[in-house]
mmCIF file with all atom_site columns, all heavy atoms in Angstrom:
data_model
loop_
_atom_site.group_PDB
_atom_site.id
_atom_site.type_symbol
_atom_site.label_atom_id
_atom_site.label_alt_id
_atom_site.label_comp_id
_atom_site.label_asym_id
_atom_site.label_entity_id
_atom_site.label_seq_id
_atom_site.pdbx_PDB_ins_code
_atom_site.Cartn_x
_atom_site.Cartn_y
_atom_site.Cartn_z
_atom_site.occupancy
_atom_site.B_iso_or_equiv
_atom_site.pdbx_formal_charge
_atom_site.auth_seq_id
_atom_site.auth_comp_id
_atom_site.auth_asym_id
_atom_site.auth_atom_id
_atom_site.pdbx_PDB_model_num
ATOM 1   N N   . PHE A 1 1  ? 101.761 -19.122 213.328 1.00 0.00 ? 1  PHE A N   1
ATOM 2   C CA  . PHE A 1 1  ? 102.249 -20.093 212.359 1.00 0.00 ? 1  PHE A CA  1
ATOM 3   C C   . PHE A 1 1  ? 103.699 -19.773 211.943 1.00 0.00 ? 1  PHE A C   1
ATOM 4   O O   . PHE A 1 1  ? 104.152 -18.617 212.069 1.00 0.00 ? 1  PHE A O   1
ATOM 5   C CB  . PHE A 1 1  ? 101.346 -20.164 211.109 1.00 0.00 ? 1  PHE A CB  1
ATOM 6   C CG  . PHE A 1 1  ? 101.274 -18.897 210.360 1.00 0.00 ? 1  PHE A CG  1
ATOM 7   C CD1 . PHE A 1 1  ? 102.209 -18.622 209.328 1.00 0.00 ? 1  PHE A CD1 1
ATOM 8   C CD2 . PHE A 1 1  ? 100.296 -17.957 210.631 1.00 0.00 ? 1  PHE A CD2 1
ATOM 9   C CE1 . PHE A 1 1  ? 102.104 -17.413 208.596 1.00 0.00 ? 1  PHE A CE1 1
ATOM 10  C CE2 . PHE A 1 1  ? 100.235 -16.753 209.945 1.00 0.00 ? 1  PHE A CE2 1
ATOM 11  C CZ  . PHE A 1 1  ? 101.146 -16.477 208.889 1.00 0.00 ? 1  PHE A CZ  1
ATOM 12  N N   . ALA A 1 2  ? 104.399 -20.776 211.474 1.00 0.00 ? 2  ALA A N   1
ATOM 13  C CA  . ALA A 1 2  ? 105.753 -20.634 210.983 1.00 0.00 ? 2  ALA A CA  1
ATOM 14  C C   . ALA A 1 2  ? 105.945 -21.643 209.850 1.00 0.00 ? 2  ALA A C   1
ATOM 15  O O   . ALA A 1 2  ? 105.298 -22.728 209.844 1.00 0.00 ? 2  ALA A O   1
ATOM 16  C CB  . ALA A 1 2  ? 106.765 -20.858 212.035 1.00 0.00 ? 2  ALA A CB  1
ATOM 17  N N   . GLY A 1 3  ? 106.726 -21.279 208.871 1.00 0.00 ? 3  GLY A N   1
ATOM 18  C CA  . GLY A 1 3  ? 106.897 -22.204 207.745 1.00 0.00 ? 3  GLY A CA  1
ATOM 19  C C   . GLY A 1 3  ? 108.054 -21.868 206.814 1.00 0.00 ? 3  GLY A C   1
ATOM 20  O O   . GLY A 1 3  ? 108.947 -21.068 207.153 1.00 0.00 ? 3  GLY A O   1
ATOM 21  N N   . TRP A 1 4  ? 108.069 -22.507 205.674 1.00 0.00 ? 4  TRP A N   1
ATOM 22  C CA  . TRP A 1 4  ? 109.078 -22.378 204.667 1.00 0.00 ? 4  TRP A CA  1
ATOM 23  C C   . TRP A 1 4  ? 108.555 -21.667 203.418 1.00 0.00 ? 4  TRP A C   1
ATOM 24  O O   . TRP A 1 4  ? 107.526 -22.115 202.877 1.00 0.00 ? 4  TRP A O   1
ATOM 25  C CB  . TRP A 1 4  ? 109.619 -23.732 204.303 1.00 0.00 ? 4  TRP A CB  1
ATOM 26  C CG  . TRP A 1 4  ? 110.912 -23.686 203.501 1.00 0.00 ? 4  TRP A CG  1
ATOM 27  C CD1 . TRP A 1 4  ? 111.026 -23.927 202.134 1.00 0.00 ? 4  TRP A CD1 1
ATOM 28  C CD2 . TRP A 1 4  ? 112.243 -23.439 203.972 1.00 0.00 ? 4  TRP A CD2 1
ATOM 29  N NE1 . TRP A 1 4  ? 112.339 -23.821 201.804 1.00 0.00 ? 4  TRP A NE1 1
ATOM 30  C CE2 . TRP A 1 4  ? 113.101 -23.506 202.879 1.00 0.00 ? 4  TRP A CE2 1
ATOM 31  C CE3 . TRP A 1 4  ? 112.737 -23.129 205.222 1.00 0.00 ? 4  TRP A CE3 1
ATOM 32  C CZ2 . TRP A 1 4  ? 114.471 -23.308 203.018 1.00 0.00 ? 4  TRP A CZ2 1
ATOM 33  C CZ3 . TRP A 1 4  ? 114.116 -22.905 205.382 1.00 0.00 ? 4  TRP A CZ3 1
ATOM 34  C CH2 . TRP A 1 4  ? 114.942 -23.011 204.274 1.00 0.00 ? 4  TRP A CH2 1
ATOM 35  N N   . LYS A 1 5  ? 109.208 -20.609 202.997 1.00 0.00 ? 5  LYS A N   1
ATOM 36  C CA  . LYS A 1 5  ? 108.750 -19.792 201.847 1.00 0.00 ? 5  LYS A CA  1
ATOM 37  C C   . LYS A 1 5  ? 109.735 -19.937 200.688 1.00 0.00 ? 5  LYS A C   1
ATOM 38  O O   . LYS A 1 5  ? 110.952 -19.962 200.884 1.00 0.00 ? 5  LYS A O   1
ATOM 39  C CB  . LYS A 1 5  ? 108.585 -18.316 202.265 1.00 0.00 ? 5  LYS A CB  1
ATOM 40  C CG  . LYS A 1 5  ? 107.979 -17.484 201.156 1.00 0.00 ? 5  LYS A CG  1
ATOM 41  C CD  . LYS A 1 5  ? 107.674 -16.088 201.647 1.00 0.00 ? 5  LYS A CD  1
ATOM 42  C CE  . LYS A 1 5  ? 107.083 -15.224 200.547 1.00 0.00 ? 5  LYS A CE  1
ATOM 43  N NZ  . LYS A 1 5  ? 105.786 -15.775 200.091 1.00 0.00 ? 5  LYS A NZ  1
ATOM 44  N N   . LEU A 1 6  ? 109.151 -19.996 199.504 1.00 0.00 ? 6  LEU A N   1
ATOM 45  C CA  . LEU A 1 6  ? 109.964 -20.069 198.271 1.00 0.00 ? 6  LEU A CA  1
ATOM 46  C C   . LEU A 1 6  ? 109.503 -19.000 197.289 1.00 0.00 ? 6  LEU A C   1
ATOM 47  O O   . LEU A 1 6  ? 108.292 -18.746 197.146 1.00 0.00 ? 6  LEU A O   1
ATOM 48  C CB  . LEU A 1 6  ? 109.817 -21.462 197.622 1.00 0.00 ? 6  LEU A CB  1
ATOM 49  C CG  . LEU A 1 6  ? 110.542 -21.667 196.278 1.00 0.00 ? 6  LEU A CG  1
ATOM 50  C CD1 . LEU A 1 6  ? 111.025 -23.090 196.169 1.00 0.00 ? 6  LEU A CD1 1
ATOM 51  C CD2 . LEU A 1 6  ? 109.570 -21.381 195.099 1.00 0.00 ? 6  LEU A CD2 1
ATOM 52  N N   . LEU A 1 7  ? 110.458 -18.348 196.660 1.00 0.00 ? 7  LEU A N   1
ATOM 53  C CA  . LEU A 1 7  ? 110.179 -17.367 195.596 1.00 0.00 ? 7  LEU A CA  1
ATOM 54  C C   . LEU A 1 7  ? 111.115 -17.658 194.443 1.00 0.00 ? 7  LEU A C   1
ATOM 55  O O   . LEU A 1 7  ? 112.302 -17.787 194.620 1.00 0.00 ? 7  LEU A O   1
ATOM 56  C CB  . LEU A 1 7  ? 110.372 -15.929 196.114 1.00 0.00 ? 7  LEU A CB  1
ATOM 57  C CG  . LEU A 1 7  ? 110.059 -14.773 195.133 1.00 0.00 ? 7  LEU A CG  1
ATOM 58  C CD1 . LEU A 1 7  ? 108.573 -14.822 194.783 1.00 0.00 ? 7  LEU A CD1 1
ATOM 59  C CD2 . LEU A 1 7  ? 110.428 -13.428 195.740 1.00 0.00 ? 7  LEU A CD2 1
ATOM 60  N N   . GLU A 1 8  ? 110.515 -17.746 193.235 1.00 0.00 ? 8  GLU A N   1
ATOM 61  C CA  . GLU A 1 8  ? 111.315 -18.108 192.048 1.00 0.00 ? 8  GLU A CA  1
ATOM 62  C C   . GLU A 1 8  ? 110.976 -17.239 190.850 1.00 0.00 ? 8  GLU A C   1
ATOM 63  O O   . GLU A 1 8  ? 109.774 -16.921 190.647 1.00 0.00 ? 8  GLU A O   1
ATOM 64  C CB  . GLU A 1 8  ? 111.048 -19.596 191.699 1.00 0.00 ? 8  GLU A CB  1
ATOM 65  C CG  . GLU A 1 8  ? 111.821 -20.153 190.522 1.00 0.00 ? 8  GLU A CG  1
ATOM 66  C CD  . GLU A 1 8  ? 111.538 -21.606 190.271 1.00 0.00 ? 8  GLU A CD  1
ATOM 67  O OE1 . GLU A 1 8  ? 112.185 -22.446 190.899 1.00 0.00 ? 8  GLU A OE1 1
ATOM 68  O OE2 . GLU A 1 8  ? 110.635 -21.865 189.454 1.00 0.00 ? 8  GLU A OE2 1
ATOM 69  N N   . VAL A 1 9  ? 111.969 -16.850 190.096 1.00 0.00 ? 9  VAL A N   1
ATOM 70  C CA  . VAL A 1 9  ? 111.797 -16.085 188.847 1.00 0.00 ? 9  VAL A CA  1
ATOM 71  C C   . VAL A 1 9  ? 112.376 -16.903 187.702 1.00 0.00 ? 9  VAL A C   1
ATOM 72  O O   . VAL A 1 9  ? 113.431 -17.532 187.831 1.00 0.00 ? 9  VAL A O   1
ATOM 73  C CB  . VAL A 1 9  ? 112.494 -14.750 188.925 1.00 0.00 ? 9  VAL A CB  1
ATOM 74  C CG1 . VAL A 1 9  ? 112.317 -13.961 187.631 1.00 0.00 ? 9  VAL A CG1 1
ATOM 75  C CG2 . VAL A 1 9  ? 112.009 -13.928 190.106 1.00 0.00 ? 9  VAL A CG2 1
ATOM 76  N N   . GLY A 1 10 ? 111.642 -16.928 186.588 1.00 0.00 ? 10 GLY A N   1
ATOM 77  C CA  . GLY A 1 10 ? 112.159 -17.745 185.459 1.00 0.00 ? 10 GLY A CA  1
ATOM 78  C C   . GLY A 1 10 ? 111.467 -17.396 184.169 1.00 0.00 ? 10 GLY A C   1
ATOM 79  O O   . GLY A 1 10 ? 110.696 -16.407 184.079 1.00 0.00 ? 10 GLY A O   1
ATOM 80  N N   . ASN A 1 11 ? 111.762 -18.142 183.128 1.00 0.00 ? 11 ASN A N   1
ATOM 81  C CA  . ASN A 1 11 ? 111.189 -17.936 181.778 1.00 0.00 ? 11 ASN A CA  1
ATOM 82  C C   . ASN A 1 11 ? 110.131 -19.044 181.531 1.00 0.00 ? 11 ASN A C   1
ATOM 83  O O   . ASN A 1 11 ? 110.463 -20.227 181.590 1.00 0.00 ? 11 ASN A O   1
ATOM 84  C CB  . ASN A 1 11 ? 112.285 -18.008 180.731 1.00 0.00 ? 11 ASN A CB  1
ATOM 85  C CG  . ASN A 1 11 ? 111.801 -17.718 179.356 1.00 0.00 ? 11 ASN A CG  1
ATOM 86  O OD1 . ASN A 1 11 ? 111.230 -18.592 178.710 1.00 0.00 ? 11 ASN A OD1 1
ATOM 87  N ND2 . ASN A 1 11 ? 111.995 -16.473 178.916 1.00 0.00 ? 11 ASN A ND2 1
ATOM 88  N N   . SER A 1 12 ? 108.921 -18.610 181.253 1.00 0.00 ? 12 SER A N   1
ATOM 89  C CA  . SER A 1 12 ? 107.818 -19.577 181.088 1.00 0.00 ? 12 SER A CA  1
ATOM 90  C C   . SER A 1 12 ? 107.889 -20.263 179.744 1.00 0.00 ? 12 SER A C   1
ATOM 91  O O   . SER A 1 12 ? 107.174 -21.265 179.553 1.00 0.00 ? 12 SER A O   1
ATOM 92  C CB  . SER A 1 12 ? 106.467 -18.846 181.265 1.00 0.00 ? 12 SER A CB  1
ATOM 93  O OG  . SER A 1 12 ? 106.343 -17.823 180.317 1.00 0.00 ? 12 SER A OG  1
ATOM 94  N N   . GLU A 1 13 ? 108.643 -19.739 178.813 1.00 0.00 ? 13 GLU A N   1
ATOM 95  C CA  . GLU A 1 13 ? 108.707 -20.360 177.482 1.00 0.00 ? 13 GLU A CA  1
ATOM 96  C C   . GLU A 1 13 ? 109.426 -21.703 177.552 1.00 0.00 ? 13 GLU A C   1
ATOM 97  O O   . GLU A 1 13 ? 109.025 -22.667 176.902 1.00 0.00 ? 13 GLU A O   1
ATOM 98  C CB  . GLU A 1 13 ? 109.434 -19.433 176.509 1.00 0.00 ? 13 GLU A CB  1
ATOM 99  C CG  . GLU A 1 13 ? 109.369 -19.897 175.067 1.00 0.00 ? 13 GLU A CG  1
ATOM 100 C CD  . GLU A 1 13 ? 109.980 -18.873 174.144 1.00 0.00 ? 13 GLU A CD  1
ATOM 101 O OE1 . GLU A 1 13 ? 110.968 -18.182 174.526 1.00 0.00 ? 13 GLU A OE1 1
ATOM 102 O OE2 . GLU A 1 13 ? 109.489 -18.719 173.034 1.00 0.00 ? 13 GLU A OE2 1
ATOM 103 N N   . ASN A 1 14 ? 110.473 -21.780 178.370 1.00 0.00 ? 14 ASN A N   1
ATOM 104 C CA  . ASN A 1 14 ? 111.220 -23.072 178.515 1.00 0.00 ? 14 ASN A CA  1
ATOM 105 C C   . ASN A 1 14 ? 111.083 -23.614 179.930 1.00 0.00 ? 14 ASN A C   1
ATOM 106 O O   . ASN A 1 14 ? 111.724 -24.654 180.257 1.00 0.00 ? 14 ASN A O   1
ATOM 107 C CB  . ASN A 1 14 ? 112.677 -22.888 178.141 1.00 0.00 ? 14 ASN A CB  1
ATOM 108 C CG  . ASN A 1 14 ? 113.324 -21.744 178.891 1.00 0.00 ? 14 ASN A CG  1
ATOM 109 O OD1 . ASN A 1 14 ? 112.907 -21.373 179.967 1.00 0.00 ? 14 ASN A OD1 1
ATOM 110 N ND2 . ASN A 1 14 ? 114.370 -21.170 178.277 1.00 0.00 ? 14 ASN A ND2 1
ATOM 111 N N   . LEU A 1 15 ? 110.269 -22.932 180.784 1.00 0.00 ? 15 LEU A N   1
ATOM 112 C CA  . LEU A 1 15 ? 110.046 -23.346 182.194 1.00 0.00 ? 15 LEU A CA  1
ATOM 113 C C   . LEU A 1 15 ? 111.392 -23.509 182.931 1.00 0.00 ? 15 LEU A C   1
ATOM 114 O O   . LEU A 1 15 ? 111.542 -24.367 183.775 1.00 0.00 ? 15 LEU A O   1
ATOM 115 C CB  . LEU A 1 15 ? 109.290 -24.666 182.256 1.00 0.00 ? 15 LEU A CB  1
ATOM 116 C CG  . LEU A 1 15 ? 107.808 -24.596 181.692 1.00 0.00 ? 15 LEU A CG  1
ATOM 117 C CD1 . LEU A 1 15 ? 107.199 -25.954 181.770 1.00 0.00 ? 15 LEU A CD1 1
ATOM 118 C CD2 . LEU A 1 15 ? 107.035 -23.542 182.416 1.00 0.00 ? 15 LEU A CD2 1
ATOM 119 N N   . LYS A 1 16 ? 112.335 -22.620 182.620 1.00 0.00 ? 16 LYS A N   1
ATOM 120 C CA  . LYS A 1 16 ? 113.670 -22.702 183.208 1.00 0.00 ? 16 LYS A CA  1
ATOM 121 C C   . LYS A 1 16 ? 113.770 -21.590 184.269 1.00 0.00 ? 16 LYS A C   1
ATOM 122 O O   . LYS A 1 16 ? 113.661 -20.418 183.957 1.00 0.00 ? 16 LYS A O   1
ATOM 123 C CB  . LYS A 1 16 ? 114.749 -22.540 182.165 1.00 0.00 ? 16 LYS A CB  1
ATOM 124 C CG  . LYS A 1 16 ? 116.137 -22.639 182.738 1.00 0.00 ? 16 LYS A CG  1
ATOM 125 C CD  . LYS A 1 16 ? 117.196 -22.488 181.646 1.00 0.00 ? 16 LYS A CD  1
ATOM 126 C CE  . LYS A 1 16 ? 118.614 -22.594 182.203 1.00 0.00 ? 16 LYS A CE  1
ATOM 127 N NZ  . LYS A 1 16 ? 119.644 -22.432 181.188 1.00 0.00 ? 16 LYS A NZ  1
ATOM 128 N N   . PRO A 1 17 ? 113.983 -21.980 185.557 1.00 0.00 ? 17 PRO A N   1
ATOM 129 C CA  . PRO A 1 17 ? 114.119 -20.928 186.586 1.00 0.00 ? 17 PRO A CA  1
ATOM 130 C C   . PRO A 1 17 ? 115.459 -20.173 186.435 1.00 0.00 ? 17 PRO A C   1
ATOM 131 O O   . PRO A 1 17 ? 116.500 -20.771 186.170 1.00 0.00 ? 17 PRO A O   1
ATOM 132 C CB  . PRO A 1 17 ? 114.108 -21.753 187.900 1.00 0.00 ? 17 PRO A CB  1
ATOM 133 C CG  . PRO A 1 17 ? 114.534 -23.106 187.510 1.00 0.00 ? 17 PRO A CG  1
ATOM 134 C CD  . PRO A 1 17 ? 114.062 -23.346 186.114 1.00 0.00 ? 17 PRO A CD  1
ATOM 135 N N   . THR A 1 18 ? 115.405 -18.879 186.625 1.00 0.00 ? 18 THR A N   1
ATOM 136 C CA  . THR A 1 18 ? 116.581 -18.061 186.570 1.00 0.00 ? 18 THR A CA  1
ATOM 137 C C   . THR A 1 18 ? 117.229 -17.898 187.954 1.00 0.00 ? 18 THR A C   1
ATOM 138 O O   . THR A 1 18 ? 118.425 -17.936 188.119 1.00 0.00 ? 18 THR A O   1
ATOM 139 C CB  . THR A 1 18 ? 116.274 -16.663 186.039 1.00 0.00 ? 18 THR A CB  1
ATOM 140 O OG1 . THR A 1 18 ? 115.675 -16.796 184.737 1.00 0.00 ? 18 THR A OG1 1
ATOM 141 C CG2 . THR A 1 18 ? 117.512 -15.781 185.899 1.00 0.00 ? 18 THR A CG2 1
ATOM 142 N N   . LYS A 1 19 ? 116.358 -17.737 188.940 1.00 0.00 ? 19 LYS A N   1
ATOM 143 C CA  . LYS A 1 19 ? 116.841 -17.578 190.361 1.00 0.00 ? 19 LYS A CA  1
ATOM 144 C C   . LYS A 1 19 ? 115.756 -18.076 191.299 1.00 0.00 ? 19 LYS A C   1
ATOM 145 O O   . LYS A 1 19 ? 114.561 -17.822 191.108 1.00 0.00 ? 19 LYS A O   1
ATOM 146 C CB  . LYS A 1 19 ? 117.130 -16.083 190.635 1.00 0.00 ? 19 LYS A CB  1
ATOM 147 C CG  . LYS A 1 19 ? 117.877 -15.820 191.931 1.00 0.00 ? 19 LYS A CG  1
ATOM 148 C CD  . LYS A 1 19 ? 119.287 -16.243 191.880 1.00 0.00 ? 19 LYS A CD  1
ATOM 149 C CE  . LYS A 1 19 ? 120.039 -15.844 193.155 1.00 0.00 ? 19 LYS A CE  1
ATOM 150 N NZ  . LYS A 1 19 ? 121.436 -16.258 193.159 1.00 0.00 ? 19 LYS A NZ  1
ATOM 151 N N   . THR A 1 20 ? 116.183 -18.786 192.336 1.00 0.00 ? 20 THR A N   1
ATOM 152 C CA  . THR A 1 20 ? 115.250 -19.300 193.366 1.00 0.00 ? 20 THR A CA  1
ATOM 153 C C   . THR A 1 20 ? 115.779 -18.947 194.727 1.00 0.00 ? 20 THR A C   1
ATOM 154 O O   . THR A 1 20 ? 116.973 -19.093 195.012 1.00 0.00 ? 20 THR A O   1
ATOM 155 C CB  . THR A 1 20 ? 115.104 -20.811 193.256 1.00 0.00 ? 20 THR A CB  1
ATOM 156 O OG1 . THR A 1 20 ? 114.647 -21.179 191.947 1.00 0.00 ? 20 THR A OG1 1
ATOM 157 C CG2 . THR A 1 20 ? 114.110 -21.329 194.267 1.00 0.00 ? 20 THR A CG2 1
ATOM 158 N N   . TRP A 1 21 ? 114.891 -18.386 195.570 1.00 0.00 ? 21 TRP A N   1
ATOM 159 C CA  . TRP A 1 21 ? 115.205 -18.055 196.941 1.00 0.00 ? 21 TRP A CA  1
ATOM 160 C C   . TRP A 1 21 ? 114.339 -18.839 197.895 1.00 0.00 ? 21 TRP A C   1
ATOM 161 O O   . TRP A 1 21 ? 113.168 -18.995 197.657 1.00 0.00 ? 21 TRP A O   1
ATOM 162 C CB  . TRP A 1 21 ? 115.008 -16.539 197.180 1.00 0.00 ? 21 TRP A CB  1
ATOM 163 C CG  . TRP A 1 21 ? 115.861 -15.668 196.301 1.00 0.00 ? 21 TRP A CG  1
ATOM 164 C CD1 . TRP A 1 21 ? 117.108 -15.251 196.496 1.00 0.00 ? 21 TRP A CD1 1
ATOM 165 C CD2 . TRP A 1 21 ? 115.403 -15.023 195.109 1.00 0.00 ? 21 TRP A CD2 1
ATOM 166 N NE1 . TRP A 1 21 ? 117.522 -14.437 195.487 1.00 0.00 ? 21 TRP A NE1 1
ATOM 167 C CE2 . TRP A 1 21 ? 116.472 -14.272 194.622 1.00 0.00 ? 21 TRP A CE2 1
ATOM 168 C CE3 . TRP A 1 21 ? 114.207 -14.998 194.365 1.00 0.00 ? 21 TRP A CE3 1
ATOM 169 C CZ2 . TRP A 1 21 ? 116.395 -13.510 193.428 1.00 0.00 ? 21 TRP A CZ2 1
ATOM 170 C CZ3 . TRP A 1 21 ? 114.124 -14.277 193.202 1.00 0.00 ? 21 TRP A CZ3 1
ATOM 171 C CH2 . TRP A 1 21 ? 115.224 -13.565 192.748 1.00 0.00 ? 21 TRP A CH2 1
ATOM 172 N N   . ASN A 1 22 ? 114.941 -19.311 198.990 1.00 0.00 ? 22 ASN A N   1
ATOM 173 C CA  . ASN A 1 22 ? 114.204 -20.039 200.044 1.00 0.00 ? 22 ASN A CA  1
ATOM 174 C C   . ASN A 1 22 ? 114.486 -19.377 201.368 1.00 0.00 ? 22 ASN A C   1
ATOM 175 O O   . ASN A 1 22 ? 115.563 -18.794 201.601 1.00 0.00 ? 22 ASN A O   1
ATOM 176 C CB  . ASN A 1 22 ? 114.650 -21.477 200.063 1.00 0.00 ? 22 ASN A CB  1
ATOM 177 C CG  . ASN A 1 22 ? 114.198 -22.264 198.838 1.00 0.00 ? 22 ASN A CG  1
ATOM 178 O OD1 . ASN A 1 22 ? 113.090 -22.723 198.783 1.00 0.00 ? 22 ASN A OD1 1
ATOM 179 N ND2 . ASN A 1 22 ? 115.104 -22.389 197.858 1.00 0.00 ? 22 ASN A ND2 1
ATOM 180 N N   . GLY A 1 23 ? 113.539 -19.530 202.289 1.00 0.00 ? 23 GLY A N   1
ATOM 181 C CA  . GLY A 1 23 ? 113.741 -18.991 203.647 1.00 0.00 ? 23 GLY A CA  1
ATOM 182 C C   . GLY A 1 23 ? 112.580 -19.306 204.567 1.00 0.00 ? 23 GLY A C   1
ATOM 183 O O   . GLY A 1 23 ? 111.659 -20.031 204.213 1.00 0.00 ? 23 GLY A O   1
ATOM 184 N N   . ILE A 1 24 ? 112.692 -18.709 205.727 1.00 0.00 ? 24 ILE A N   1
ATOM 185 C CA  . ILE A 1 24 ? 111.671 -18.956 206.763 1.00 0.00 ? 24 ILE A CA  1
ATOM 186 C C   . ILE A 1 24 ? 110.660 -17.839 206.833 1.00 0.00 ? 24 ILE A C   1
ATOM 187 O O   . ILE A 1 24 ? 110.933 -16.717 206.442 1.00 0.00 ? 24 ILE A O   1
ATOM 188 C CB  . ILE A 1 24 ? 112.344 -19.148 208.155 1.00 0.00 ? 24 ILE A CB  1
ATOM 189 C CG1 . ILE A 1 24 ? 113.187 -17.887 208.487 1.00 0.00 ? 24 ILE A CG1 1
ATOM 190 C CG2 . ILE A 1 24 ? 113.201 -20.411 208.187 1.00 0.00 ? 24 ILE A CG2 1
ATOM 191 C CD1 . ILE A 1 24 ? 113.767 -17.935 209.896 1.00 0.00 ? 24 ILE A CD1 1
ATOM 192 N N   . SER A 1 25 ? 109.472 -18.156 207.345 1.00 0.00 ? 25 SER A N   1
ATOM 193 C CA  . SER A 1 25 ? 108.370 -17.221 207.470 1.00 0.00 ? 25 SER A CA  1
ATOM 194 C C   . SER A 1 25 ? 107.638 -17.502 208.769 1.00 0.00 ? 25 SER A C   1
ATOM 195 O O   . SER A 1 25 ? 107.477 -18.673 209.162 1.00 0.00 ? 25 SER A O   1
ATOM 196 C CB  . SER A 1 25 ? 107.428 -17.303 206.292 1.00 0.00 ? 25 SER A CB  1
ATOM 197 O OG  . SER A 1 25 ? 106.313 -16.449 206.480 1.00 0.00 ? 25 SER A OG  1
ATOM 198 N N   . ALA A 1 26 ? 107.193 -16.450 209.452 1.00 0.00 ? 26 ALA A N   1
ATOM 199 C CA  . ALA A 1 26 ? 106.429 -16.614 210.689 1.00 0.00 ? 26 ALA A CA  1
ATOM 200 C C   . ALA A 1 26 ? 105.451 -15.465 210.851 1.00 0.00 ? 26 ALA A C   1
ATOM 201 O O   . ALA A 1 26 ? 105.774 -14.319 210.455 1.00 0.00 ? 26 ALA A O   1
ATOM 202 C CB  . ALA A 1 26 ? 107.372 -16.698 211.918 1.00 0.00 ? 26 ALA A CB  1
ATOM 203 N N   . GLY A 1 27 ? 104.285 -15.739 211.385 1.00 0.00 ? 27 GLY A N   1
ATOM 204 C CA  . GLY A 1 27 ? 103.310 -14.662 211.583 1.00 0.00 ? 27 GLY A CA  1
ATOM 205 C C   . GLY A 1 27 ? 102.097 -15.117 212.400 1.00 0.00 ? 27 GLY A C   1
ATOM 206 O O   . GLY A 1 27 ? 102.115 -16.166 213.085 1.00 0.00 ? 27 GLY A O   1
ATOM 207 N N   . CYS A 1 28 ? 101.044 -14.325 212.284 1.00 0.00 ? 28 CYS A N   1
ATOM 208 C CA  . CYS A 1 28 ? 99.825  -14.539 213.076 1.00 0.00 ? 28 CYS A CA  1
ATOM 209 C C   . CYS A 1 28 ? 98.588  -14.365 212.139 1.00 0.00 ? 28 CYS A C   1
ATOM 210 O O   . CYS A 1 28 ? 98.617  -13.456 211.309 1.00 0.00 ? 28 CYS A O   1
ATOM 211 C CB  . CYS A 1 28 ? 99.748  -13.569 214.237 1.00 0.00 ? 28 CYS A CB  1
ATOM 212 S SG  . CYS A 1 28 ? 98.249  -13.742 215.214 1.00 0.00 ? 28 CYS A SG  1
ATOM 213 N N   . ARG A 1 29 ? 97.619  -15.210 212.332 1.00 0.00 ? 29 ARG A N   1
ATOM 214 C CA  . ARG A 1 29 ? 96.357  -15.133 211.552 1.00 0.00 ? 29 ARG A CA  1
ATOM 215 C C   . ARG A 1 29 ? 95.206  -15.057 212.516 1.00 0.00 ? 29 ARG A C   1
ATOM 216 O O   . ARG A 1 29 ? 95.146  -15.749 213.549 1.00 0.00 ? 29 ARG A O   1
ATOM 217 C CB  . ARG A 1 29 ? 96.243  -16.379 210.648 1.00 0.00 ? 29 ARG A CB  1
ATOM 218 C CG  . ARG A 1 29 ? 94.959  -16.361 209.772 1.00 0.00 ? 29 ARG A CG  1
ATOM 219 C CD  . ARG A 1 29 ? 94.911  -17.614 208.881 1.00 0.00 ? 29 ARG A CD  1
ATOM 220 N NE  . ARG A 1 29 ? 95.974  -17.592 207.859 1.00 0.00 ? 29 ARG A NE  1
ATOM 221 C CZ  . ARG A 1 29 ? 96.990  -18.383 207.863 1.00 0.00 ? 29 ARG A CZ  1
ATOM 222 N NH1 . ARG A 1 29 ? 97.158  -19.310 208.818 1.00 0.00 ? 29 ARG A NH1 1
ATOM 223 N NH2 . ARG A 1 29 ? 97.910  -18.306 206.944 1.00 0.00 ? 29 ARG A NH2 1
ATOM 224 N N   . VAL A 1 30 ? 94.207  -14.223 212.192 1.00 0.00 ? 30 VAL A N   1
ATOM 225 C CA  . VAL A 1 30 ? 93.024  -14.071 213.032 1.00 0.00 ? 30 VAL A CA  1
ATOM 226 C C   . VAL A 1 30 ? 91.801  -14.455 212.178 1.00 0.00 ? 30 VAL A C   1
ATOM 227 O O   . VAL A 1 30 ? 91.709  -14.074 210.999 1.00 0.00 ? 30 VAL A O   1
ATOM 228 C CB  . VAL A 1 30 ? 92.871  -12.672 213.600 1.00 0.00 ? 30 VAL A CB  1
ATOM 229 C CG1 . VAL A 1 30 ? 92.786  -11.604 212.535 1.00 0.00 ? 30 VAL A CG1 1
ATOM 230 C CG2 . VAL A 1 30 ? 91.651  -12.574 214.504 1.00 0.00 ? 30 VAL A CG2 1
ATOM 231 N N   . TYR A 1 31 ? 90.858  -15.208 212.760 1.00 0.00 ? 31 TYR A N   1
ATOM 232 C CA  . TYR A 1 31 ? 89.644  -15.647 212.072 1.00 0.00 ? 31 TYR A CA  1
ATOM 233 C C   . TYR A 1 31 ? 88.466  -14.883 212.612 1.00 0.00 ? 31 TYR A C   1
ATOM 234 O O   . TYR A 1 31 ? 88.347  -14.608 213.821 1.00 0.00 ? 31 TYR A O   1
ATOM 235 C CB  . TYR A 1 31 ? 89.430  -17.158 212.302 1.00 0.00 ? 31 TYR A CB  1
ATOM 236 C CG  . TYR A 1 31 ? 90.473  -18.040 211.625 1.00 0.00 ? 31 TYR A CG  1
ATOM 237 C CD1 . TYR A 1 31 ? 91.728  -18.243 212.225 1.00 0.00 ? 31 TYR A CD1 1
ATOM 238 C CD2 . TYR A 1 31 ? 90.192  -18.676 210.439 1.00 0.00 ? 31 TYR A CD2 1
ATOM 239 C CE1 . TYR A 1 31 ? 92.700  -19.037 211.652 1.00 0.00 ? 31 TYR A CE1 1
ATOM 240 C CE2 . TYR A 1 31 ? 91.182  -19.507 209.854 1.00 0.00 ? 31 TYR A CE2 1
ATOM 241 C CZ  . TYR A 1 31 ? 92.386  -19.669 210.441 1.00 0.00 ? 31 TYR A CZ  1
ATOM 242 O OH  . TYR A 1 31 ? 93.363  -20.494 209.879 1.00 0.00 ? 31 TYR A OH  1
#
């Protein structure tokens, strides 16, 4: 699989994000 990953840090009191990072992700899953 491959996809788009997002990570965000913020303040939950005002729901305002301080910093957001985006990027790609790829890996393997076994069932």
Side-chain angles (χ1 to χ4, degrees):
F1 63 89
W4 192 255
K5 185 173 180 63
L6 176 146
L7 183 63
E8 181 179 276
V9 179
N11 183 280
S12 59
E13 190 174 33
N14 52 27
L15 297 179
K16 182 179 180 180
T18 303
K19 190 73 174 180
T20 302
W21 300 276
N22 291 276
I24 57 175
S25 175
C28 179
R29 181 180 293 109
V30 59
Y31 293 79

